Short mmCIF file of all heavy atoms in Angstrom, two decimals:
data_model
loop_
_atom_site.label_atom_id
_atom_site.label_comp_id
_atom_site.label_asym_id
_atom_site.label_seq_id
_atom_site.Cartn_x
_atom_site.Cartn_y
_atom_site.Cartn_z
N ALA L 233 10.61 -14.87 -25.27
CA ALA L 233 10.13 -13.53 -24.91
C ALA L 233 8.73 -13.32 -25.47
O ALA L 233 8.42 -13.74 -26.59
CB ALA L 233 11.08 -12.46 -25.46
N SER L 234 7.89 -12.64 -24.67
CA SER L 234 6.51 -12.43 -25.11
C SER L 234 5.97 -11.15 -24.51
O SER L 234 6.27 -10.81 -23.36
CB SER L 234 5.64 -13.61 -24.66
OG SER L 234 4.28 -13.40 -24.99
N PRO L 235 5.17 -10.41 -25.30
CA PRO L 235 4.52 -9.22 -24.74
C PRO L 235 3.46 -9.64 -23.72
O PRO L 235 2.81 -10.68 -23.87
CB PRO L 235 3.89 -8.54 -25.96
CG PRO L 235 3.72 -9.63 -26.96
CD PRO L 235 4.84 -10.60 -26.73
N ILE L 236 3.29 -8.82 -22.69
CA ILE L 236 2.24 -9.04 -21.69
C ILE L 236 1.07 -8.14 -22.08
O ILE L 236 1.23 -6.93 -22.16
CB ILE L 236 2.74 -8.68 -20.27
CG1 ILE L 236 3.97 -9.52 -19.90
CG2 ILE L 236 1.63 -8.88 -19.25
CD1 ILE L 236 4.65 -9.07 -18.63
N LEU L 237 -0.09 -8.74 -22.29
CA LEU L 237 -1.25 -7.98 -22.73
C LEU L 237 -2.22 -7.76 -21.59
O LEU L 237 -2.50 -8.69 -20.81
CB LEU L 237 -1.96 -8.70 -23.89
CG LEU L 237 -1.13 -8.93 -25.15
CD1 LEU L 237 -1.97 -9.65 -26.19
CD2 LEU L 237 -0.60 -7.62 -25.71
N ASP L 238 -2.72 -6.54 -21.48
CA ASP L 238 -3.77 -6.23 -20.50
C ASP L 238 -5.05 -6.96 -20.92
O ASP L 238 -5.51 -6.82 -22.05
CB ASP L 238 -4.00 -4.72 -20.46
CG ASP L 238 -4.99 -4.31 -19.38
OD1 ASP L 238 -6.19 -4.58 -19.56
OD2 ASP L 238 -4.54 -3.74 -18.38
N LYS L 239 -5.61 -7.76 -20.01
CA LYS L 239 -6.78 -8.57 -20.35
C LYS L 239 -8.00 -7.72 -20.70
O LYS L 239 -8.85 -8.15 -21.47
CB LYS L 239 -7.13 -9.50 -19.20
CG LYS L 239 -6.21 -10.70 -19.08
CD LYS L 239 -6.72 -11.68 -18.05
CE LYS L 239 -5.88 -12.94 -18.02
NZ LYS L 239 -6.39 -13.93 -17.04
N LYS L 240 -8.08 -6.53 -20.13
CA LYS L 240 -9.26 -5.71 -20.33
C LYS L 240 -9.27 -5.04 -21.69
O LYS L 240 -10.25 -5.10 -22.44
CB LYS L 240 -9.37 -4.66 -19.21
CG LYS L 240 -10.64 -3.85 -19.27
CD LYS L 240 -10.74 -2.91 -18.07
CE LYS L 240 -12.03 -2.13 -18.11
NZ LYS L 240 -12.15 -1.20 -16.93
N ASN L 241 -8.18 -4.36 -22.03
CA ASN L 241 -8.17 -3.60 -23.29
C ASN L 241 -7.15 -4.12 -24.32
O ASN L 241 -7.01 -3.53 -25.39
CB ASN L 241 -7.91 -2.11 -23.02
CG ASN L 241 -6.62 -1.89 -22.23
OD1 ASN L 241 -5.65 -2.64 -22.36
ND2 ASN L 241 -6.61 -0.86 -21.42
N ARG L 242 -6.46 -5.21 -23.96
CA ARG L 242 -5.51 -5.86 -24.86
C ARG L 242 -4.32 -4.98 -25.22
O ARG L 242 -3.62 -5.24 -26.20
CB ARG L 242 -6.20 -6.34 -26.15
CG ARG L 242 -7.38 -7.25 -25.93
CD ARG L 242 -7.02 -8.50 -25.16
NE ARG L 242 -6.11 -9.36 -25.93
CZ ARG L 242 -5.54 -10.45 -25.44
NH1 ARG L 242 -5.76 -10.80 -24.17
NH2 ARG L 242 -4.77 -11.20 -26.19
N SER L 243 -4.09 -3.95 -24.47
CA SER L 243 -2.91 -3.11 -24.71
C SER L 243 -1.69 -3.81 -24.11
O SER L 243 -1.79 -4.65 -23.22
CB SER L 243 -3.08 -1.73 -24.08
OG SER L 243 -3.20 -1.85 -22.67
N VAL L 244 -0.50 -3.46 -24.62
CA VAL L 244 0.73 -4.07 -24.14
C VAL L 244 1.12 -3.46 -22.79
O VAL L 244 1.30 -2.25 -22.68
CB VAL L 244 1.87 -3.89 -25.16
CG1 VAL L 244 3.17 -4.46 -24.61
CG2 VAL L 244 1.51 -4.55 -26.47
N ALA L 245 1.21 -4.32 -21.77
CA ALA L 245 1.54 -3.84 -20.43
C ALA L 245 2.99 -4.07 -20.07
O ALA L 245 3.48 -3.55 -19.07
CB ALA L 245 0.63 -4.53 -19.39
N GLY L 246 3.68 -4.87 -20.87
CA GLY L 246 5.08 -5.16 -20.56
C GLY L 246 5.58 -6.34 -21.36
O GLY L 246 4.98 -6.75 -22.36
N VAL L 247 6.69 -6.92 -20.89
CA VAL L 247 7.33 -8.04 -21.56
C VAL L 247 7.78 -9.05 -20.51
O VAL L 247 8.23 -8.66 -19.42
CB VAL L 247 8.55 -7.57 -22.38
CG1 VAL L 247 9.43 -8.74 -22.81
CG2 VAL L 247 8.10 -6.78 -23.60
N VAL L 248 7.63 -10.33 -20.82
CA VAL L 248 8.16 -11.37 -19.94
C VAL L 248 9.23 -12.14 -20.69
O VAL L 248 9.05 -12.51 -21.86
CB VAL L 248 7.04 -12.31 -19.43
CG1 VAL L 248 6.34 -13.03 -20.57
CG2 VAL L 248 7.62 -13.32 -18.43
N LEU L 249 10.35 -12.36 -20.05
CA LEU L 249 11.47 -13.11 -20.62
C LEU L 249 11.65 -14.38 -19.80
O LEU L 249 11.81 -14.32 -18.57
CB LEU L 249 12.76 -12.29 -20.57
CG LEU L 249 12.74 -10.91 -21.25
CD1 LEU L 249 14.02 -10.16 -20.95
CD2 LEU L 249 12.54 -11.06 -22.75
N LEU L 250 11.60 -15.52 -20.47
CA LEU L 250 11.82 -16.80 -19.80
C LEU L 250 13.13 -17.36 -20.34
O LEU L 250 13.29 -17.52 -21.56
CB LEU L 250 10.65 -17.74 -20.10
CG LEU L 250 10.60 -19.05 -19.31
CD1 LEU L 250 9.16 -19.49 -19.13
CD2 LEU L 250 11.40 -20.14 -19.99
N MET L 251 14.09 -17.63 -19.45
CA MET L 251 15.44 -18.01 -19.87
C MET L 251 15.87 -19.32 -19.23
O MET L 251 15.56 -19.58 -18.06
CB MET L 251 16.42 -16.89 -19.49
CG MET L 251 16.09 -15.54 -20.10
SD MET L 251 17.15 -14.19 -19.50
CE MET L 251 16.48 -13.94 -17.85
N TYR L 252 16.58 -20.13 -19.99
CA TYR L 252 17.15 -21.35 -19.44
C TYR L 252 18.40 -21.69 -20.24
O TYR L 252 18.56 -21.29 -21.38
CB TYR L 252 16.14 -22.50 -19.48
CG TYR L 252 15.86 -23.04 -20.86
CD1 TYR L 252 16.41 -24.24 -21.30
CD2 TYR L 252 15.04 -22.33 -21.74
CE1 TYR L 252 16.16 -24.73 -22.57
CE2 TYR L 252 14.79 -22.81 -23.01
CZ TYR L 252 15.35 -24.02 -23.43
OH TYR L 252 15.10 -24.48 -24.69
N ARG L 253 19.29 -22.43 -19.63
CA ARG L 253 20.53 -22.82 -20.30
C ARG L 253 20.22 -23.91 -21.33
O ARG L 253 19.46 -24.83 -21.04
CB ARG L 253 21.54 -23.34 -19.28
CG ARG L 253 22.04 -22.27 -18.30
CD ARG L 253 23.01 -22.88 -17.30
NE ARG L 253 23.41 -21.95 -16.28
CZ ARG L 253 24.42 -21.10 -16.37
NH1 ARG L 253 25.14 -21.07 -17.49
NH2 ARG L 253 24.74 -20.29 -15.39
N PRO L 254 20.79 -23.82 -22.52
CA PRO L 254 20.55 -24.84 -23.54
C PRO L 254 20.90 -26.23 -23.01
O PRO L 254 21.91 -26.42 -22.33
CB PRO L 254 21.50 -24.44 -24.68
CG PRO L 254 21.69 -22.97 -24.50
CD PRO L 254 21.68 -22.76 -23.03
N GLY L 255 20.03 -27.19 -23.28
CA GLY L 255 20.27 -28.56 -22.81
C GLY L 255 19.53 -28.86 -21.53
O GLY L 255 19.31 -30.02 -21.20
N ALA L 256 19.10 -27.80 -20.80
CA ALA L 256 18.35 -28.01 -19.57
C ALA L 256 16.91 -28.36 -19.94
O ALA L 256 16.35 -27.82 -20.91
CB ALA L 256 18.38 -26.76 -18.70
N PRO L 257 16.26 -29.30 -19.21
CA PRO L 257 14.88 -29.66 -19.51
C PRO L 257 13.94 -28.48 -19.30
O PRO L 257 14.09 -27.71 -18.37
CB PRO L 257 14.58 -30.79 -18.52
CG PRO L 257 15.55 -30.57 -17.40
CD PRO L 257 16.78 -30.02 -18.03
N MET L 258 12.98 -28.34 -20.21
CA MET L 258 12.05 -27.20 -20.12
C MET L 258 10.78 -27.53 -20.83
O MET L 258 10.76 -28.21 -21.85
CB MET L 258 12.70 -25.97 -20.74
CG MET L 258 11.76 -24.78 -20.87
SD MET L 258 12.48 -23.48 -21.85
CE MET L 258 11.05 -22.43 -22.01
N ILE L 259 9.64 -27.03 -20.30
CA ILE L 259 8.37 -27.13 -20.98
C ILE L 259 8.21 -25.86 -21.78
O ILE L 259 8.11 -24.75 -21.23
CB ILE L 259 7.20 -27.28 -19.99
CG1 ILE L 259 7.39 -28.56 -19.18
CG2 ILE L 259 5.86 -27.28 -20.70
CD1 ILE L 259 6.35 -28.76 -18.08
N VAL L 260 8.17 -25.98 -23.11
CA VAL L 260 8.11 -24.81 -23.96
C VAL L 260 6.70 -24.24 -23.95
O VAL L 260 5.73 -24.98 -24.12
CB VAL L 260 8.48 -25.19 -25.42
CG1 VAL L 260 8.36 -23.97 -26.33
CG2 VAL L 260 9.88 -25.75 -25.47
N PRO L 261 6.55 -22.91 -23.71
CA PRO L 261 5.21 -22.31 -23.70
C PRO L 261 4.57 -22.41 -25.08
O PRO L 261 5.26 -22.29 -26.09
CB PRO L 261 5.49 -20.86 -23.30
CG PRO L 261 6.93 -20.62 -23.52
CD PRO L 261 7.61 -21.93 -23.44
#
Side-chain angles (χ1 to χ4, degrees):
S234 176
I236 302 171
L237 300 180
D238 185 287
K239 284 188 174 181
K240 186 175 181 180
N241 56 31
R242 304 302 293 174
S243 63
V244 177
V247 167
V248 61
L249 304 173
L250 189 150
M251 301 174 286
Y252 71 104
R253 294 179 186 272
M258 172 190 171
I259 299 175
V260 178

